[in-house]
Amino acid sequence: METIRLVLVLVGFIGVCQGYGSGAPPVACEDMTPGHVLNGNDSIPLSPSDEPSPFTVTVSEVEFGQGGQVEVTIQGSVNFAGFLLQARQDGEDEPVGTFSDLASDMKFVECSATYTEAAVTHTNSNPFDGDVTVTWTAPSTQIADVTFYATVASDHDNYWVMLESEKIIYSGFSVLYPKLCMVLLPMVAILNRFLG
């Protein structure tokens, strides 16, 4: 019985150590390192590439408010096999916000107790033959400025960790405030005219 249990545990570790064709696991959330090992030798971990990255992370907005939405795109000069994407506040390790508009070959990773859809990864080992774009929605509460981070693998052996987007600035206003102001300002002007 002990021998069977040992074999099952070892088989489980082999699956964890070989790489993740079904996406990044929760254990990769904090340092965003995929944990790939050298094929044929499970004791030799693969380090991130020190070559210039062929991938970039771009954003559609330069600032955001509470509940604001930003399109985030991972693009590259080569195809890529997998990725992990998060948004983090300045100086924080836990991702924030919520992603949406995921393609069928993407899924969420539970990287935050507060925001269960705050990290996105791939679902299979088929290479992506184009850019990946998802929508990020800011929390409805005040947060700090945000940077998007992506770990991207061109194949099992070559990956780049924590590629950064341009920082987007928290504007301090809810996305509802500008619309509300457009309604209230004329009313205030009318009241001021009659009361003044």
Side-chain angles (χ1 to χ4, degrees):
M1 187 65 174
E2 285 298 316
T3 304
I4 293 172
R5 187 176 300 154
L6 179 62
V7 168
L8 290 174
V9 168
L10 289 175
V11 168
F13 277 125
I14 289 170
V16 168
C17 294
Q18 289 298 327
Y20 301 95
S22 61
V27 71
C29 288
E30 189 172 341
D31 66 7
M32 297 189 74
T33 301
H36 293 177
V37 295
L38 186 66
N39 281 332
N41 192 335
D42 292 343
S43 63
I44 302 176
L46 289 170
S47 298
S49 176
D50 56 6
E51 296 293 320
S53 171
F55 307 105
T56 57
V57 183
T58 59
V59 291
S60 64
E61 306 295 333
V62 295
E63 64 178 38
F64 67 97
Q66 295 173 10
Q69 293 191 323
V70 178
E71 284 192 350
V72 187
T73 301
I74 301 172
Q75 52 194 25
S77 56
V78 297
N79 292 345
F80 56 99
F83 70 95
L84 174 61
L85 177 66
Q86 302 177 0
R88 295 183 180 184
Q89 298 178 81
D90 284 352
E92 298 291 332
D93 291 333
E94 186 176 4
V96 295
T98 302
F99 284 103
S100 60
D101 299 331
L102 273 60
S104 60
D105 50 2
M106 302 177 202
K107 67 178 181 180
F108 299 112
V109 185
E110 280 199 48
C111 290
S112 167
T114 308
Y115 307 101
T116 56
E117 298 176 345
V120 180
T121 190
H122 57 285
T123 58
N124 57 50
S125 57
N126 297 331
F128 290 86
D129 59 359
D131 301 345
V132 165
T133 299
V134 292
T135 301
W136 178 80
T137 302
S140 58
T141 56
Q142 181 176 348
I143 62 172
D145 299 342
V146 164
T147 302
F148 292 90
Y149 294 92
T151 292
V152 186
S154 59
D155 53 49
H156 177 273
D157 293 351
N158 298 289
Y159 64 91
W160 290 261
V161 173
M162 295 192 76
L163 304 174
E164 296 182 28
S165 73
E166 174 185 352
K167 181 188 294 186
I168 56 172
I169 308 302
Y170 174 70
S171 66
F173 296 99
S174 168
V175 292
L176 297 176
Y177 289 171
K179 293 176 184 173
L180 188 59
C181 288
M182 289 175 65
V183 172
L184 291 179
L185 282 177
M187 292 173 64
V188 169
I190 292 168
L191 284 173
N192 192 31
R193 189 167 151 197
F194 285 110
L195 297 175

